[in-house]
C-alpha cells in the first residue's frame, strides 16, 4: 500500500516540510512566541505526522494527551522543580501539536468543520481544566498567605475563556476579506504586545512551580494581564462588529 506522502505527492519529509512552509496562515494578530516558536515547531511535527500517515484528528488527540497529562500532574503532585519541568514540557509539547493538527490538515487537504470543532473543544477544555488544576494545587499543596488566593484561578479562568471564545466568535461574525485581497502585513509591535496573553508564554509560568512564592507571583501577573487584555479586546471586537458593513 502506498504511503500517504506518496499518494499526495510529497514523497519525503523534506518535501512535506517545504510544502508546509508555503501554506502558513497569516501572522496578523499572532504573538511573537506563536509566530517564531510554536508555529515552526508545529510545522516540524506536522511534517513528521504526515510521513507517519497520521490524520489531523489523531494529532489533535496527541495534543490533548500531552496537555491533560500535564494538567493531571499539576493537580496530583506537590510542587517541585521536577514537577515544574514535567508540567511545562507536557503543556508546551501539547501546544506545538495543537499547531501541527491544522497545518497537517492543510497539507493533506483535509480541513473539515468537524476537525475544527474538535480542535476548539480540546483548546477550551484544556484552558478551563488548567486553571481548575491550579485551584486544586493551591488548595491541596500551597501554604497560601490568605484564602483569597483561591479566587485568583477562578478569575484567571474567566478572563482566559472569554478571550478565547470572544476571539473565535468575532472571527466568525466579521465579514471576510474581499476575494483576491492581499493579506494584511503582520505588525511586529503587536506581536510583542500580545505576548502576555499567548498560551505558550503562560505555559512558561509553570517552570516556577519549584518556588511557591515565585509561581504565585508569576501567575498573578499573567492573570492581571489577561484581565486588562480582556477589557481591551472586548472594546475592540465590539467596535469592529458595530462598524457599518459595505453593501454586498
Amino acid at each position: 500500500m502506498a504511503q500517504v506522502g506518496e499518494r499526495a505527492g510529497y514523497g519525503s519529509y523534506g518535501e512535506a516540510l517545504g510544502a508546509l512552509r508555503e501554506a502558513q496562515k497569516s501572522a496578523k494578530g499572532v504573538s511573537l512566541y506563536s509566530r517564531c516558536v510554536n508555529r515552526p515547531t508545529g510545522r516540524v511535527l506536522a511534517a513528521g505526522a504526515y510521513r507517519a500517515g497520521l490524520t489531523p484528528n489523531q494529532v489533535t488527540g496527541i495534543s490533548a494527551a500531552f496537555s491533560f497529562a500535564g494538567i493531571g500532574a499539576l493537580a496530583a503532585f506537590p510542587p517541585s522543580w521536577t514537577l515544574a519541568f514535567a508540567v511545562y514540557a507536557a503543556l508546551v509539547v501539547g501546544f506545538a501539536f495543537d499547531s501541527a493538527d491544522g497545518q497537517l490538515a492543510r497539507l493533506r487537504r483535509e480541513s473539515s468543520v468537524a476537525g475544527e470543532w474538535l480542535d476548539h473543544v480540546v483548546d477550551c477544555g484544556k484552558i478551563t481544566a488548567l486553571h481548575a488544576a491550579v485551584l486544586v494545587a493551591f488548595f491541596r499543596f500551597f501554604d497560601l498567605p490568605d484564602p483569597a488566593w483561591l479566587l485568583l484561578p477562578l478569575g484567571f479562568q474567566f478572563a482566559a475563556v472569554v478571550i478565547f471564545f470572544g476571539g473565535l466568535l468575532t472571527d466568525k461574525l466579521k465579514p471576510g476579506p474581499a476575494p483576491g485581497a492581499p493579506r494584511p502585513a503582520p505588525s511586529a509591535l503587536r506581536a510583542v504586545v500580545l505576548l502576555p496573553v499567548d498560551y505558550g508564554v503562560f505555559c512558561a509560568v509553570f517552570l516556577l512551580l519549584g518556588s511557591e512564592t515565585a509561581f504565585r507571583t508569576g501567575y498573578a501577573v499573567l492573570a492581571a494581564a489577561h484581565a486588562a487584555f480582556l477589557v481591551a479586546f472586548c472594546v475592540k471586537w465590539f467596535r469592529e462588529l458595530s462598524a457599518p458593513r459595505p453593501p454586498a
Side-chain angles (χ1 to χ4, degrees):
M1 180 182 294
Q3 293 183 352
V4 175
E6 293 170 350
R7 289 199 301 269
Y10 306 114
S12 69
Y13 173 86
E15 290 177 356
L17 188 62
L20 283 164
R21 290 194 183 99
E22 301 299 322
Q24 292 298 298
K25 294 191 296 184
S26 169
K28 182 178 183 294
V30 177
S31 87
L32 196 63
Y33 178 91
S34 288
R35 185 189 303 183
C36 299
V37 179
N38 201 56
R39 281 189 177 180
T41 304
R43 189 160 61 236
V44 171
L45 294 175
Y50 182 86
R51 291 297 301 151
L54 298 179
T55 67
N57 287 348
Q58 287 171 332
V59 174
T60 301
I62 294 172
S63 171
F66 273 101
S67 298
F68 285 100
I71 292 168
L74 174 63
F77 300 106
S80 68
W81 292 114
T82 300
L83 181 68
F85 177 77
V87 170
Y88 170 74
L91 295 178
V92 80
V93 171
F95 189 36
F97 273 107
D98 182 34
S99 175
D101 59 5
Q103 298 191 56
L104 178 62
R106 289 191 294 276
L107 185 65
R108 291 173 56 113
R109 299 178 179 86
E110 292 180 1
S111 297
S112 68
V113 174
E116 185 177 3
W117 175 87
L118 179 63
D119 182 43
H120 292 328
V121 167
V122 169
D123 286 344
C124 188
K126 77 183 181 188
I127 293 171
T128 306
L130 186 50
H131 293 288
V134 173
L135 176 59
V136 171
F138 275 2
F139 181 78
R140 294 186 65 196
F141 305 121
F142 280 64
D143 183 18
L144 299 175
D146 190 289
W149 275 94
L150 295 174
L151 298 175
L152 182 62
L154 297 177
F156 200 156
Q157 182 186 71
F158 173 82
V161 171
V162 175
I163 288 173
F164 175 77
F165 177 76
L168 283 178
L169 189 58
T170 301
D171 286 343
K172 294 295 183 184
L173 295 178
K174 278 197 310 185
R183 286 185 176 184
S187 165
L189 177 60
R190 180 179 174 84
V192 173
V193 170
L194 288 173
L195 280 173
V197 287
D198 187 284
Y199 181 79
V201 173
F202 174 52
C203 292
V205 79
F206 292 95
L207 287 171
L208 303 175
L209 272 173
S211 166
E212 291 189 10
T213 301
F215 176 75
R216 283 192 290 107
T217 301
Y219 187 79
V221 168
L222 288 182
H226 275 70
F229 272 93
L230 173 61
V231 174
F233 282 149
C234 284
V235 171
K236 174 180 179 292
W237 293 332
F238 187 79
R239 286 177 175 172
E240 289 176 350
L241 295 173
S242 301
R245 301 187 181 185

